[in-house]
Amino acid sequence: MALSNNDIFKKLRVALKLRDEDIVNICALVDFKVTKSELGAIFRAEDHPKYMECGDQFLRNFLNGLVIHMRGPMPPRKKES
């Protein structure tokens, strides 16, 4: 059985002990705006009426922001002469 994007996002949130505010800030690092209410909808049970599926773009932006959050921004590339 494969994990859904929602399952992956939930597991990362628990493993890294992230709060909603942390996730909003991480997404902001890649200029991806997300609200706490959107996060609440993603973390709900699938049978809940306000459940929202976590799309590929949402998870990708979060992961890109997480890389910057954990490692820091990429250093500028050196130009070869």
Side-chain angles (χ1 to χ4, degrees), residues 22-73:
D22 298 329
I23 295 171
V24 169
N25 292 335
I26 288 170
C27 289
L29 293 173
V30 290
D31 297 326
F32 185 71
K33 294 182 181 172
V34 61
T35 63
K36 289 183 182 182
S37 60
E38 287 176 311
L39 291 175
I42 288 173
F43 294 128
R44 293 184 191 278
E46 284 186 47
D47 58 348
H48 193 278
K50 301 270 186 178
Y51 171 80
M52 185 174 87
E53 188 174 320
C54 179
D56 292 339
Q57 180 182 0
F58 194 103
L59 186 60
R60 180 178 63 246
N61 281 308
F62 170 72
L63 291 173
N64 286 337
L66 187 61
V67 168
I68 293 170
H69 176 72
M70 300 298 270
R71 291 186 190 169

